[in-house]
Amino acid sequence: LEPSCWITSGFRRNREDAVIRVFKVNKHIIRMFGSSGLVHNHLRSAVLRSLSTQLGTSAAAPTNAESVECVVIGAGVVGLACARALAQAGKEVVVVEQHNTFGQETSSRHSEVIHAGLYYPPGSLKAQLCVRGKQLMYEYCAARGVAHKRVTKLVVATDKEQEAGLRALRERAAACGVTDLVPMSGAEARALEPALSATAAVLSPSTGIVDSHGLMQALLGDLEQAGGVMAVAS
């Protein structure tokens, strides 16, 4: 951050929309429109040098440091969600990201599953966060237009000996607050998935998938709406 300059980027929901970078130096604003992607650092530097020359300021080479209340390192799903919450709570927030855009590591290299919360020990933090987080995720995606779907999941027993495990799974899930599991016979499971070899099954209606890129775009939009910024290639 520089004392006479702030930078922000605005993403629209469609990836093909233009990205807007706004540079403010001594109350002068320049808006630059480009194709999808971020404005490169050399372009930013060129603009600051140009404004510095025109305005007679030291914008290109500031000498004073600027303070900020909160710095979040990493613009993945977790980082953006934390930064969004801080900004919406009224904090001054900057997210620093080593890559040229958000979500370039773990957040774009996973299965994009919204887990129901079946397997964690009852009372554990994982169980609490998964079950509550699942509900919040569906609500947020619906409110912000993020692509998602409740695809459901079948957990099957392939022989009679495994059916006790299914009963234990249902009991553990219920203790964690997952009360929507549906017990099924082998025939009922095969009606959904004919290729299955199962003697019994449990259907999880709240297991789903989410577009992680769209989710991060929405989180970033909320962050910037609340006054936060993301600094890339940092």
Side-chain angles (χ1 to χ4, degrees), residues 1-3 64-71 92 94:
L1 290 178
E2 299 165 0
N64 298 320
E66 183 69 54
S67 63
V68 63
E69 284 186 281
C70 304
V71 174
E92 184 184 24
V94 173

Side-chain angles (χ1 to χ4, degrees), residues 140-183:
Y140 181 76
C141 289
R144 298 288 280 107
V146 177
H148 67 288
K149 185 177 181 180
R150 294 175 185 256
V151 295
T152 75
K153 177 173 71 172
L154 280 171
V155 184
V156 304
T158 59
D159 55 46
K160 291 291 184 180
E161 292 181 354
Q162 293 182 349
E163 292 182 16
L166 283 184
R167 290 191 292 271
L169 175 67
R170 289 174 55 200
E171 292 172 0
R172 181 167 62 248
C176 291
V178 182
T179 59
D180 60 353
L181 297 186
V182 180

Side-chain angles (χ1 to χ4, degrees), residues 74-168:
V77 169
V78 174
L80 290 172
C82 291
R84 169 184 177 270
L86 288 167
Q88 290 182 339
K91 302 295 184 181
E92 184 184 24
V93 184
V94 173
V95 182
V96 293
E97 168 56 48
Q98 65 174 325
H99 297 293
N100 289 326
T101 188
F102 58 82
Q104 293 301 291
E105 296 195 9
T106 305
S107 294
S108 57
R109 291 167 174 81
H110 62 91
S111 61
E112 300 184 312
V113 171
I114 301 175
H115 292 281
L118 311 182
Y119 305 109
Y120 301 121
S124 67
L125 190 59
K126 282 187 175 181
Q128 296 173 43
L129 294 178
C130 185
V131 175
R132 177 61 175 150
K134 170 189 63 178
Q135 177 185 347
L136 294 174
M137 179 68 76
Y138 281 126
E139 291 173 357
Y140 181 76
C141 289
R144 298 288 280 107
V146 177
H148 67 288
K149 185 177 181 180
R150 294 175 185 256
V151 295
T152 75
K153 177 173 71 172
L154 280 171
V155 184
V156 304
T158 59
D159 55 46
K160 291 291 184 180
E161 292 181 354
Q162 293 182 349
E163 292 182 16
L166 283 184
R167 290 191 292 271

